[in-house]
Amino acid sequence: MAAAPPVLRVRNLTVEFATDAGIVRAVDDVSFDVAGDETVALVGESGCGKTVTGLSLLRLVPEPPGRYAGGSIELAGRDLLALPGEALPAIRGRDVAMIFQEPMTALNPVFTIGTQMADVLRQHRGLSRSKARAEAAAMLAAVNIPDPDRRLDDYPHQLSGGMRQRVMIAMALSCRPRLLVADEPTTALDVTTQAQVLAEFRRLQQEFRTAVILVTHDLGVVAETCTRAIVMYCGSIVESGPTAELFRHPRHPYTRGLLESVPRVRAERLPELPVIPGRVPDPGRLPAGCRFADRCSRVQSRCRDARPPLQPVGAGVPVSVACFNPW
Amino acid sequence: MVTLPPGAGTGPLLDVRGLRTYFPVRGGLLHRVVAQVRAVDDVSFTLDQGTTLGLVGESGCGKSTLGRTVLRLRPATAGQILFDGTDLARLSPRELEPWRRRMQLVFQDPYASLSPRRTVGQTLREPLDHHGIGTPTSRRDRVAELLDVVGLSPAVLDRYPHEFSGGQRQRVGIARALAVDPDLIVADEPVSALDVSVQSQVLNLIRRLQVERGIAFLFISHDLAVVQHVSDQVGVMYLGRLVELGPARRVYSTPRHPYTQALLAAVPRVEGSPADRVLLQGEVPSPLRPPPGCAFHARCPRVMEVCRHEAPVLKDVDGPGAGHRVACHLY
């Protein structure tokens, strides 16, 4: 367990969406902590609730159709879900910042990088125009962008994808947030650029001591970047623990299946890739018991009757798993 | 140039020689051609029946353009595309028509490539009707058989694409390609949009089709792990050129080109990466202004003086029998 006190404490978070098919629970009773020096992965496949959980940490889920149906999100001692809406803009960017998969949609195409970065600094840190520009250049230098003074006058389209994502990281860290939420920050990048940006990410996390939540589907990225991982399936946490332990000994059959089925560069190719049979159930028609039961190789009759709670595995191992019959 | 009738070829199914695809760049007041992008630049390879060539590289390397040029969905600027002995590059659109039946394309995004207003049954029947395959009644049976091959239940015949998950849609896309019993399928990032647990199901299906139906694949992907699983041969592209080509086993175990080595080292690994791995500096240069000499020299950790002004050509390493070829002055 991390020694630093938690910066973020999420308790029983439940987020629902109104759809044509009725109310769908995208996040269902999710609880976790993140300490000040941690990089934590929220990992899972599409529709597992990882992105909605990430957006919730900035209270960015659109309401309606979304609705925070329960729980609390305590950031540095304050419950974001209890705050009035007017209080949020001052918190977003300053206490908690977010990076998205496609930086082009997060940057405004008609303003220069420098203008956009300086705006954030003037708003949240009350810097003067010239100080804000100098600080923006320093942040670009911190994320290893060559020639930062000149880059400030560039428009987003003039930068490559990797450079744009570095700008987003620089912008997100410029107000020294306590928590940074990064949603698939390298998924749109080429593999060699991804490796550079991830290395940058690790270095900055050390340097700025920002707690990071990395939302991703890529277990390789998790292994290389995150100290702890939270595996989600159908809106709930199925397993969480230190990345090394989780990957060495996955206890939930879903975590294990996911790790086995990841295509990876191997010494010898396998005649057949291991698969998880079936598919993720429709969020409108979830099974009554364990939501993984229909795809699980270790399913027992009780798995179909009741949902297994997330519980510590005990024996001094800092792993929790939601399974009646774990590995 | 001798043109052989279909099926009479004795050599490889596909023999691509010196293929180039250039795109004109227009600019200025008069909208004149001011430059050429060499999307595919002097690429040669062969593909035997029932085998798979995996093409890897980063965005903009020309791998998708190469796939589309081979199918003559884009005109070739120069070079030959010998398909079963016939040079497709020289055929008129009308002459090309009978060959279209033997080559199919599977796209990355099955949602965008399936008509939302057609049922799965109609989508699968369309190529059969178009090419006049079978009788109207036998086509119905053929469609049911196709669904069975890709692991979908006959109950889905009357459903529309939006009713399916991504993995199921990609199975429909593959079934549509199989409808005409092709000899070659060009698959462009066919599993990139799919979740991990579904990705491996579709990859296993593709492997099974290679073995059971003897279909040759040109399998295009940015994902080295995915390519390894399906490929007999692997080609690595950088800025329009093949920089390494060889048996998959060799390329993955002993990559020779510094770019291939860097690409393999950059893949995030579940088991963690070695601390001493070399990260490439910089990014892929613009294909509009490729560097002189070897296009990779500005990022190459092992660059030499000769690399700056002389472009290397593909040559055999490990002897001519190994079939492992690299375009690098180190060898």
Short mmCIF file of all heavy atoms in Angstrom, two decimals, chain A residues 45-46 160 190-192 194-196 220-221 223-224 247 259 261 263-266 268-276 278-279 295, chain B residues 58-59 168 195-197 199-201 203-204 207 225 228-231 249 263 266 268-271 273 277 279-280 282-283 299:
data_model
loop_
_atom_site.label_atom_id
_atom_site.label_comp_id
_atom_site.label_asym_id
_atom_site.label_seq_id
_atom_site.Cartn_x
_atom_site.Cartn_y
_atom_site.Cartn_z
N GLU A 45 -12.37 -3.20 -21.22
CA GLU A 45 -12.74 -3.09 -22.62
C GLU A 45 -13.83 -2.04 -22.81
O GLU A 45 -14.36 -1.52 -21.84
CB GLU A 45 -13.21 -4.46 -23.13
CG GLU A 45 -12.12 -5.50 -23.01
CD GLU A 45 -12.58 -6.85 -23.50
OE1 GLU A 45 -13.28 -7.55 -22.77
OE2 GLU A 45 -12.25 -7.18 -24.63
N SER A 46 -14.19 -1.77 -24.07
CA SER A 46 -15.18 -0.72 -24.29
C SER A 46 -16.47 -1.04 -23.56
O SER A 46 -16.91 -2.19 -23.51
CB SER A 46 -15.47 -0.49 -25.78
OG SER A 46 -14.97 -1.50 -26.58
N SER A 160 2.55 17.85 -34.85
CA SER A 160 2.24 16.44 -35.07
C SER A 160 1.42 15.92 -33.89
O SER A 160 1.31 16.57 -32.85
CB SER A 160 3.54 15.65 -35.18
OG SER A 160 4.18 15.63 -33.92
N ASP A 190 1.39 6.61 -32.89
CA ASP A 190 2.17 5.49 -33.39
C ASP A 190 3.01 4.91 -32.26
O ASP A 190 3.31 5.59 -31.29
CB ASP A 190 3.08 5.97 -34.51
CG ASP A 190 2.34 5.97 -35.84
OD1 ASP A 190 1.57 5.04 -36.08
OD2 ASP A 190 2.54 6.91 -36.61
N VAL A 191 3.44 3.67 -32.47
CA VAL A 191 4.08 2.96 -31.37
C VAL A 191 5.39 3.61 -30.92
O VAL A 191 5.67 3.70 -29.72
CB VAL A 191 4.24 1.45 -31.71
CG1 VAL A 191 5.10 1.24 -32.92
CG2 VAL A 191 4.76 0.67 -30.54
N THR A 192 6.19 4.14 -31.85
CA THR A 192 7.44 4.77 -31.41
C THR A 192 7.17 6.10 -30.71
O THR A 192 7.85 6.45 -29.75
CB THR A 192 8.43 4.98 -32.58
OG1 THR A 192 7.83 5.83 -33.56
CG2 THR A 192 8.82 3.68 -33.23
N GLN A 194 4.34 6.72 -29.09
CA GLN A 194 3.73 6.32 -27.83
C GLN A 194 4.81 6.04 -26.78
O GLN A 194 4.69 6.47 -25.63
CB GLN A 194 2.89 5.06 -28.03
CG GLN A 194 2.50 4.39 -26.74
CD GLN A 194 1.52 3.26 -26.93
OE1 GLN A 194 0.32 3.45 -27.01
NE2 GLN A 194 2.04 2.06 -27.02
N ALA A 195 5.86 5.35 -27.18
CA ALA A 195 6.93 5.03 -26.24
C ALA A 195 7.57 6.32 -25.70
O ALA A 195 7.88 6.41 -24.50
CB ALA A 195 7.97 4.14 -26.91
N GLN A 196 7.74 7.31 -26.58
CA GLN A 196 8.32 8.59 -26.13
C GLN A 196 7.39 9.29 -25.15
O GLN A 196 7.83 9.77 -24.09
CB GLN A 196 8.54 9.53 -27.33
CG GLN A 196 9.58 9.06 -28.33
CD GLN A 196 9.52 9.88 -29.63
OE1 GLN A 196 8.71 10.79 -29.77
NE2 GLN A 196 10.37 9.54 -30.57
N GLY A 220 -0.36 -3.53 -21.92
CA GLY A 220 1.07 -3.25 -22.03
C GLY A 220 1.40 -1.87 -21.48
O GLY A 220 2.37 -1.69 -20.75
N VAL A 221 0.56 -0.90 -21.80
CA VAL A 221 0.73 0.46 -21.29
C VAL A 221 0.59 0.46 -19.77
O VAL A 221 1.37 1.10 -19.06
CB VAL A 221 -0.29 1.42 -21.95
CG1 VAL A 221 -0.32 2.76 -21.24
CG2 VAL A 221 0.03 1.61 -23.42
N ALA A 223 1.26 -2.04 -17.73
CA ALA A 223 2.44 -2.68 -17.14
C ALA A 223 3.62 -1.72 -17.07
O ALA A 223 4.40 -1.76 -16.12
CB ALA A 223 2.82 -3.93 -17.95
N GLU A 224 3.73 -0.86 -18.08
CA GLU A 224 4.91 0.00 -18.14
C GLU A 224 4.75 1.32 -17.41
O GLU A 224 5.73 2.02 -17.20
CB GLU A 224 5.25 0.27 -19.61
CG GLU A 224 5.62 -1.00 -20.32
CD GLU A 224 6.41 -0.75 -21.57
OE1 GLU A 224 6.52 0.41 -21.99
OE2 GLU A 224 6.92 -1.72 -22.12
N PHE A 247 -0.51 -8.81 -12.51
CA PHE A 247 -0.11 -9.44 -13.77
C PHE A 247 0.59 -10.77 -13.52
O PHE A 247 0.54 -11.66 -14.36
CB PHE A 247 0.80 -8.49 -14.57
CG PHE A 247 0.03 -7.38 -15.27
CD1 PHE A 247 -1.20 -6.97 -14.80
CD2 PHE A 247 0.54 -6.79 -16.41
CE1 PHE A 247 -1.91 -5.96 -15.44
CE2 PHE A 247 -0.17 -5.78 -17.06
CZ PHE A 247 -1.39 -5.37 -16.57
N LEU A 259 -5.44 -10.97 -19.90
CA LEU A 259 -3.98 -11.04 -20.00
C LEU A 259 -3.54 -12.10 -20.99
O LEU A 259 -2.58 -11.91 -21.73
CB LEU A 259 -3.38 -11.34 -18.63
CG LEU A 259 -3.19 -10.13 -17.72
CD1 LEU A 259 -2.95 -10.55 -16.29
CD2 LEU A 259 -2.00 -9.29 -18.21
N SER A 261 -5.28 -13.23 -23.59
CA SER A 261 -5.70 -13.02 -24.98
C SER A 261 -5.04 -11.80 -25.63
O SER A 261 -5.18 -11.61 -26.82
CB SER A 261 -7.23 -12.93 -25.08
OG SER A 261 -7.71 -11.87 -24.28
N PRO A 263 -2.76 -9.96 -27.77
CA PRO A 263 -1.75 -10.39 -28.72
C PRO A 263 -0.42 -9.77 -28.32
O PRO A 263 -0.35 -8.57 -28.06
CB PRO A 263 -2.23 -9.81 -30.06
CG PRO A 263 -3.59 -9.28 -29.83
CD PRO A 263 -3.73 -9.04 -28.36
N ARG A 264 0.59 -10.58 -28.16
CA ARG A 264 1.89 -10.01 -27.79
C ARG A 264 2.97 -10.62 -28.67
O ARG A 264 2.79 -11.72 -29.20
CB ARG A 264 2.18 -10.25 -26.32
CG ARG A 264 2.11 -11.70 -25.91
CD ARG A 264 2.43 -11.86 -24.44
NE ARG A 264 1.21 -11.91 -23.62
CZ ARG A 264 1.22 -12.10 -22.31
NH1 ARG A 264 2.34 -12.22 -21.68
NH2 ARG A 264 0.09 -12.17 -21.64
N VAL A 265 4.04 -9.88 -28.81
CA VAL A 265 5.16 -10.40 -29.58
C VAL A 265 5.76 -11.54 -28.77
O VAL A 265 6.11 -11.36 -27.61
CB VAL A 265 6.19 -9.29 -29.85
CG1 VAL A 265 7.39 -9.86 -30.57
CG2 VAL A 265 5.56 -8.17 -30.67
N ARG A 266 5.79 -12.73 -29.35
CA ARG A 266 6.26 -13.90 -28.62
C ARG A 266 7.48 -14.48 -29.30
O ARG A 266 7.75 -14.21 -30.46
CB ARG A 266 5.17 -14.99 -28.60
CG ARG A 266 3.88 -14.55 -27.94
CD ARG A 266 2.78 -15.59 -28.20
NE ARG A 266 1.47 -14.98 -28.00
CZ ARG A 266 0.75 -15.10 -26.89
NH1 ARG A 266 1.19 -15.83 -25.89
NH2 ARG A 266 -0.41 -14.49 -26.78
N GLU A 268 7.79 -17.64 -30.06
CA GLU A 268 7.23 -18.54 -31.05
C GLU A 268 5.76 -18.19 -31.17
O GLU A 268 5.10 -17.97 -30.14
CB GLU A 268 7.28 -19.97 -30.54
CG GLU A 268 8.39 -20.91 -31.00
CD GLU A 268 8.86 -20.82 -32.43
OE1 GLU A 268 8.09 -21.24 -33.31
OE2 GLU A 268 9.99 -20.39 -32.66
N ARG A 269 5.21 -18.13 -32.38
CA ARG A 269 3.79 -17.82 -32.43
C ARG A 269 2.99 -19.06 -32.03
O ARG A 269 3.41 -20.19 -32.25
CB ARG A 269 3.39 -17.31 -33.80
CG ARG A 269 3.17 -18.35 -34.85
CD ARG A 269 2.48 -17.71 -36.05
NE ARG A 269 2.31 -18.70 -37.09
CZ ARG A 269 1.81 -18.41 -38.29
NH1 ARG A 269 1.46 -17.18 -38.58
NH2 ARG A 269 1.66 -19.35 -39.19
N LEU A 270 1.85 -18.83 -31.40
CA LEU A 270 1.01 -19.93 -30.94
C LEU A 270 0.14 -20.41 -32.09
O LEU A 270 -0.23 -19.63 -32.96
CB LEU A 270 0.11 -19.46 -29.80
CG LEU A 270 0.79 -18.81 -28.60
CD1 LEU A 270 -0.25 -18.26 -27.63
CD2 LEU A 270 1.66 -19.84 -27.90
N PRO A 271 -0.20 -21.71 -32.09
CA PRO A 271 -1.10 -22.18 -33.15
C PRO A 271 -2.45 -21.48 -33.07
O PRO A 271 -3.11 -21.22 -34.07
CB PRO A 271 -1.23 -23.68 -32.88
CG PRO A 271 -0.62 -23.94 -31.56
CD PRO A 271 0.23 -22.77 -31.18
N GLU A 272 -2.88 -21.15 -31.89
CA GLU A 272 -4.17 -20.49 -31.70
C GLU A 272 -4.06 -19.54 -30.51
O GLU A 272 -3.48 -19.91 -29.49
CB GLU A 272 -5.22 -21.57 -31.42
CG GLU A 272 -6.61 -21.04 -31.28
CD GLU A 272 -7.59 -21.81 -32.16
OE1 GLU A 272 -7.46 -21.82 -33.40
OE2 GLU A 272 -8.50 -22.41 -31.58
N LEU A 273 -4.60 -18.34 -30.65
CA LEU A 273 -4.56 -17.39 -29.53
C LEU A 273 -5.63 -17.77 -28.50
O LEU A 273 -6.74 -18.13 -28.88
CB LEU A 273 -4.85 -15.97 -30.02
CG LEU A 273 -3.76 -15.20 -30.74
CD1 LEU A 273 -4.30 -13.86 -31.20
CD2 LEU A 273 -2.56 -14.98 -29.83
N PRO A 274 -5.30 -17.68 -27.22
CA PRO A 274 -6.35 -17.92 -26.22
C PRO A 274 -7.44 -16.85 -26.36
O PRO A 274 -7.13 -15.69 -26.66
CB PRO A 274 -5.63 -17.76 -24.88
CG PRO A 274 -4.17 -17.71 -25.20
CD PRO A 274 -4.03 -17.27 -26.61
N VAL A 275 -8.69 -17.23 -26.16
CA VAL A 275 -9.77 -16.26 -26.27
C VAL A 275 -10.66 -16.32 -25.02
O VAL A 275 -10.65 -17.30 -24.29
CB VAL A 275 -10.68 -16.52 -27.50
CG1 VAL A 275 -9.89 -16.45 -28.77
CG2 VAL A 275 -11.40 -17.86 -27.37
N ILE A 276 -11.38 -15.21 -24.79
CA ILE A 276 -12.47 -15.25 -23.83
C ILE A 276 -13.71 -15.50 -24.66
O ILE A 276 -14.03 -14.71 -25.55
CB ILE A 276 -12.60 -13.91 -23.09
CG1 ILE A 276 -11.30 -13.56 -22.37
CG2 ILE A 276 -13.77 -13.96 -22.10
CD1 ILE A 276 -11.33 -12.20 -21.69
N GLY A 278 -17.57 -15.81 -26.08
CA GLY A 278 -18.74 -14.94 -25.94
C GLY A 278 -18.39 -13.48 -26.04
O GLY A 278 -17.35 -13.11 -26.57
N ARG A 279 -19.28 -12.65 -25.52
CA ARG A 279 -19.07 -11.22 -25.60
C ARG A 279 -19.64 -10.53 -24.37
O ARG A 279 -20.39 -11.12 -23.61
CB ARG A 279 -19.72 -10.67 -26.87
CG ARG A 279 -21.17 -11.08 -27.03
CD ARG A 279 -21.72 -10.62 -28.36
NE ARG A 279 -22.21 -9.27 -28.23
CZ ARG A 279 -23.39 -8.85 -28.71
NH1 ARG A 279 -24.17 -9.69 -29.35
NH2 ARG A 279 -23.76 -7.60 -28.56
N ARG A 295 -19.33 -16.13 -19.46
CA ARG A 295 -18.10 -16.29 -20.24
C ARG A 295 -17.01 -16.99 -19.43
O ARG A 295 -15.90 -17.16 -19.90
CB ARG A 295 -17.58 -14.92 -20.70
CG ARG A 295 -18.62 -14.08 -21.40
CD ARG A 295 -18.07 -12.70 -21.75
NE ARG A 295 -17.12 -12.73 -22.85
CZ ARG A 295 -16.39 -11.68 -23.23
NH1 ARG A 295 -16.49 -10.53 -22.59
NH2 ARG A 295 -15.56 -11.78 -24.24
N GLU B 58 4.30 2.54 -39.36
CA GLU B 58 3.53 3.55 -38.65
C GLU B 58 2.65 4.32 -39.63
O GLU B 58 2.77 4.17 -40.84
CB GLU B 58 4.49 4.46 -37.90
CG GLU B 58 5.30 3.69 -36.88
CD GLU B 58 6.24 4.58 -36.10
OE1 GLU B 58 7.31 4.92 -36.62
OE2 GLU B 58 5.90 4.94 -34.97
N SER B 59 1.77 5.18 -39.10
CA SER B 59 0.86 5.89 -39.99
C SER B 59 1.63 6.67 -41.03
O SER B 59 2.67 7.26 -40.74
CB SER B 59 -0.10 6.81 -39.24
OG SER B 59 0.37 7.13 -37.98
N GLN B 168 -18.81 -8.96 -34.21
CA GLN B 168 -19.75 -9.63 -35.11
C GLN B 168 -19.79 -8.94 -36.47
O GLN B 168 -19.86 -9.60 -37.51
CB GLN B 168 -21.15 -9.61 -34.50
CG GLN B 168 -21.27 -10.55 -33.31
CD GLN B 168 -22.64 -10.44 -32.68
OE1 GLN B 168 -23.13 -9.33 -32.44
NE2 GLN B 168 -23.28 -11.56 -32.43
N ASP B 195 -12.10 -4.87 -29.38
CA ASP B 195 -11.56 -5.08 -28.04
C ASP B 195 -10.70 -6.33 -28.00
O ASP B 195 -10.88 -7.26 -28.80
CB ASP B 195 -12.72 -5.24 -27.05
CG ASP B 195 -13.13 -3.91 -26.47
OD1 ASP B 195 -12.25 -3.09 -26.20
OD2 ASP B 195 -14.34 -3.70 -26.30
N VAL B 196 -9.78 -6.33 -27.04
CA VAL B 196 -8.81 -7.41 -26.94
C VAL B 196 -9.44 -8.80 -26.97
O VAL B 196 -9.00 -9.67 -27.74
CB VAL B 196 -8.00 -7.26 -25.63
CG1 VAL B 196 -7.17 -8.48 -25.35
CG2 VAL B 196 -7.10 -6.04 -25.72
N SER B 197 -10.48 -9.02 -26.17
CA SER B 197 -11.01 -10.38 -26.07
C SER B 197 -11.67 -10.81 -27.38
O SER B 197 -11.75 -11.99 -27.68
CB SER B 197 -11.97 -10.50 -24.89
OG SER B 197 -13.17 -9.83 -25.14
N GLN B 199 -10.69 -9.42 -30.41
CA GLN B 199 -9.60 -9.39 -31.38
C GLN B 199 -9.03 -10.80 -31.61
O GLN B 199 -8.88 -11.23 -32.75
CB GLN B 199 -8.51 -8.50 -30.80
CG GLN B 199 -7.68 -7.79 -31.83
CD GLN B 199 -6.67 -6.87 -31.19
OE1 GLN B 199 -6.07 -7.18 -30.15
NE2 GLN B 199 -6.46 -5.73 -31.78
N SER B 200 -8.77 -11.51 -30.53
CA SER B 200 -8.15 -12.82 -30.70
C SER B 200 -9.11 -13.81 -31.35
O SER B 200 -8.68 -14.69 -32.08
CB SER B 200 -7.59 -13.35 -29.38
OG SER B 200 -8.36 -12.93 -28.30
N GLN B 201 -10.41 -13.64 -31.10
CA GLN B 201 -11.37 -14.52 -31.78
C GLN B 201 -11.29 -14.32 -33.29
O GLN B 201 -11.27 -15.28 -34.06
CB GLN B 201 -12.81 -14.22 -31.32
CG GLN B 201 -13.09 -14.53 -29.86
CD GLN B 201 -14.48 -14.09 -29.42
OE1 GLN B 201 -15.29 -13.63 -30.22
NE2 GLN B 201 -14.77 -14.21 -28.14
N LEU B 203 -8.77 -13.01 -35.04
CA LEU B 203 -7.47 -13.45 -35.55
C LEU B 203 -7.43 -14.97 -35.74
O LEU B 203 -6.90 -15.46 -36.73
CB LEU B 203 -6.35 -13.01 -34.60
CG LEU B 203 -6.05 -11.51 -34.61
CD1 LEU B 203 -5.05 -11.18 -33.51
CD2 LEU B 203 -5.51 -11.07 -35.95
N ASN B 204 -8.01 -15.69 -34.79
CA ASN B 204 -8.06 -17.15 -34.94
C ASN B 204 -8.88 -17.55 -36.16
O ASN B 204 -8.53 -18.49 -36.87
CB ASN B 204 -8.63 -17.79 -33.67
CG ASN B 204 -7.61 -17.82 -32.54
OD1 ASN B 204 -6.40 -17.73 -32.77
ND2 ASN B 204 -8.09 -17.91 -31.32
N ARG B 207 -6.73 -17.07 -39.22
CA ARG B 207 -5.77 -18.18 -39.33
C ARG B 207 -6.43 -19.44 -39.89
O ARG B 207 -5.86 -20.15 -40.72
CB ARG B 207 -5.19 -18.50 -37.94
CG ARG B 207 -4.00 -17.66 -37.55
CD ARG B 207 -2.71 -18.10 -38.26
NE ARG B 207 -2.18 -19.36 -37.80
CZ ARG B 207 -1.44 -19.49 -36.72
NH1 ARG B 207 -1.12 -18.45 -36.00
NH2 ARG B 207 -0.98 -20.66 -36.35
N ALA B 225 2.34 -7.36 -32.78
CA ALA B 225 1.95 -8.62 -32.16
C ALA B 225 0.86 -9.30 -32.98
O ALA B 225 0.89 -10.51 -33.20
CB ALA B 225 1.46 -8.37 -30.73
N GLN B 228 2.40 -10.76 -36.14
CA GLN B 228 3.15 -12.00 -35.90
C GLN B 228 2.23 -13.21 -35.86
O GLN B 228 2.56 -14.27 -36.38
CB GLN B 228 3.92 -11.92 -34.57
CG GLN B 228 4.78 -13.16 -34.36
CD GLN B 228 5.39 -13.24 -32.97
OE1 GLN B 228 4.87 -12.68 -32.00
NE2 GLN B 228 6.52 -13.93 -32.87
N HIS B 229 1.06 -13.02 -35.27
CA HIS B 229 0.18 -14.16 -35.11
C HIS B 229 -0.35 -14.73 -36.43
O HIS B 229 -0.63 -15.92 -36.52
CB HIS B 229 -0.99 -13.82 -34.19
CG HIS B 229 -1.87 -14.99 -33.92
ND1 HIS B 229 -1.42 -16.10 -33.23
CD2 HIS B 229 -3.13 -15.27 -34.31
CE1 HIS B 229 -2.38 -16.99 -33.17
NE2 HIS B 229 -3.43 -16.51 -33.82
N VAL B 230 -0.50 -13.88 -37.45
CA VAL B 230 -1.11 -14.37 -38.69
C VAL B 230 -0.14 -14.52 -39.86
O VAL B 230 -0.52 -15.08 -40.89
CB VAL B 230 -2.28 -13.45 -39.15
CG1 VAL B 230 -3.42 -13.50 -38.16
CG2 VAL B 230 -1.80 -12.03 -39.35
N SER B 231 1.09 -14.04 -39.74
CA SER B 231 1.92 -13.91 -40.95
C SER B 231 2.96 -15.01 -41.13
O SER B 231 3.57 -15.47 -40.17
CB SER B 231 2.65 -12.56 -40.92
OG SER B 231 1.72 -11.52 -40.82
N ARG B 249 9.27 -15.58 -38.65
CA ARG B 249 10.06 -16.13 -37.55
C ARG B 249 11.42 -15.43 -37.45
O ARG B 249 11.87 -15.08 -36.37
CB ARG B 249 10.26 -17.62 -37.81
CG ARG B 249 10.95 -18.36 -36.71
CD ARG B 249 11.03 -19.82 -37.07
NE ARG B 249 9.68 -20.40 -37.14
CZ ARG B 249 9.39 -21.59 -36.64
NH1 ARG B 249 10.32 -22.31 -36.07
NH2 ARG B 249 8.18 -22.06 -36.73
N LEU B 263 11.10 -0.49 -33.61
CA LEU B 263 9.65 -0.72 -33.61
C LEU B 263 9.30 -1.84 -32.63
O LEU B 263 8.37 -1.72 -31.82
CB LEU B 263 9.25 -1.12 -35.04
CG LEU B 263 7.91 -0.72 -35.61
CD1 LEU B 263 7.60 0.75 -35.41
CD2 LEU B 263 7.86 -1.08 -37.09
N ALA B 266 9.66 -0.75 -29.04
CA ALA B 266 8.73 0.27 -28.56
C ALA B 266 7.38 -0.31 -28.13
O ALA B 266 6.61 0.37 -27.46
CB ALA B 266 8.50 1.32 -29.65
N PRO B 268 4.69 -1.69 -26.00
CA PRO B 268 4.56 -1.86 -24.55
C PRO B 268 4.26 -3.31 -24.23
O PRO B 268 3.41 -3.93 -24.86
CB PRO B 268 3.37 -0.97 -24.18
CG PRO B 268 2.99 -0.22 -25.39
CD PRO B 268 3.56 -0.93 -26.57
N ARG B 269 4.98 -3.86 -23.29
CA ARG B 269 4.84 -5.28 -23.01
C ARG B 269 4.20 -5.54 -21.66
O ARG B 269 4.52 -4.89 -20.68
CB ARG B 269 6.21 -5.96 -23.05
CG ARG B 269 6.71 -6.09 -24.46
CD ARG B 269 8.19 -6.40 -24.49
NE ARG B 269 8.70 -6.07 -25.82
CZ ARG B 269 8.87 -6.98 -26.78
NH1 ARG B 269 8.63 -8.24 -26.55
NH2 ARG B 269 9.30 -6.61 -27.96
N VAL B 270 3.32 -6.52 -21.66
CA VAL B 270 2.64 -6.90 -20.42
C VAL B 270 3.65 -7.34 -19.37
O VAL B 270 3.50 -7.09 -18.18
CB VAL B 270 1.62 -8.01 -20.72
CG1 VAL B 270 1.03 -8.55 -19.44
CG2 VAL B 270 0.51 -7.48 -21.62
N GLU B 271 4.72 -7.96 -19.84
CA GLU B 271 5.73 -8.44 -18.89
C GLU B 271 6.74 -7.35 -18.55
O GLU B 271 7.71 -7.59 -17.85
CB GLU B 271 6.43 -9.70 -19.42
CG GLU B 271 7.10 -9.56 -20.77
CD GLU B 271 6.15 -9.75 -21.94
OE1 GLU B 271 4.91 -9.66 -21.77
OE2 GLU B 271 6.64 -10.00 -23.05
N SER B 273 9.04 -3.81 -20.08
CA SER B 273 10.09 -3.70 -21.09
C SER B 273 11.45 -3.65 -20.43
O SER B 273 11.58 -3.19 -19.31
CB SER B 273 9.90 -2.42 -21.90
OG SER B 273 8.85 -2.59 -22.81
N ARG B 277 16.11 -0.43 -23.22
CA ARG B 277 15.65 -0.35 -24.60
C ARG B 277 15.93 1.07 -25.15
O ARG B 277 15.91 2.06 -24.42
CB ARG B 277 14.17 -0.65 -24.70
CG ARG B 277 13.28 0.40 -24.12
CD ARG B 277 11.86 0.15 -24.54
NE ARG B 277 10.96 0.94 -23.73
CZ ARG B 277 9.64 0.92 -23.85
NH1 ARG B 277 9.10 0.11 -24.72
NH2 ARG B 277 8.89 1.67 -23.10
N LEU B 279 14.91 4.20 -27.21
CA LEU B 279 13.74 4.90 -27.73
C LEU B 279 14.17 5.73 -28.93
O LEU B 279 15.17 6.44 -28.88
CB LEU B 279 13.15 5.82 -26.68
CG LEU B 279 12.34 5.17 -25.57
CD1 LEU B 279 11.68 6.23 -24.71
CD2 LEU B 279 11.28 4.25 -26.16
N LEU B 280 13.40 5.65 -30.01
CA LEU B 280 13.70 6.47 -31.17
C LEU B 280 13.48 7.92 -30.84
O LEU B 280 12.53 8.26 -30.15
CB LEU B 280 12.78 6.09 -32.32
CG LEU B 280 13.14 4.90 -33.17
CD1 LEU B 280 12.18 4.83 -34.34
CD2 LEU B 280 14.57 5.00 -33.66
N GLY B 282 12.62 11.82 -32.22
CA GLY B 282 11.94 12.46 -33.33
C GLY B 282 10.74 11.67 -33.82
O GLY B 282 10.34 10.68 -33.21
N GLU B 283 10.16 12.14 -34.92
CA GLU B 283 9.00 11.47 -35.48
C GLU B 283 9.22 11.22 -36.96
O GLU B 283 10.18 11.70 -37.55
CB GLU B 283 7.76 12.33 -35.26
CG GLU B 283 7.48 12.54 -33.77
CD GLU B 283 6.22 13.32 -33.48
OE1 GLU B 283 5.24 13.14 -34.23
OE2 GLU B 283 6.21 14.09 -32.53
N ARG B 299 16.80 9.52 -37.71
CA ARG B 299 16.36 8.95 -36.43
C ARG B 299 17.16 7.71 -36.07
O ARG B 299 16.92 7.10 -35.02
CB ARG B 299 14.88 8.56 -36.52
CG ARG B 299 13.97 9.68 -36.97
CD ARG B 299 12.56 9.18 -37.17
NE ARG B 299 11.89 8.91 -35.91
CZ ARG B 299 10.77 8.18 -35.79
NH1 ARG B 299 10.23 7.64 -36.86
NH2 ARG B 299 10.21 7.99 -34.63
#
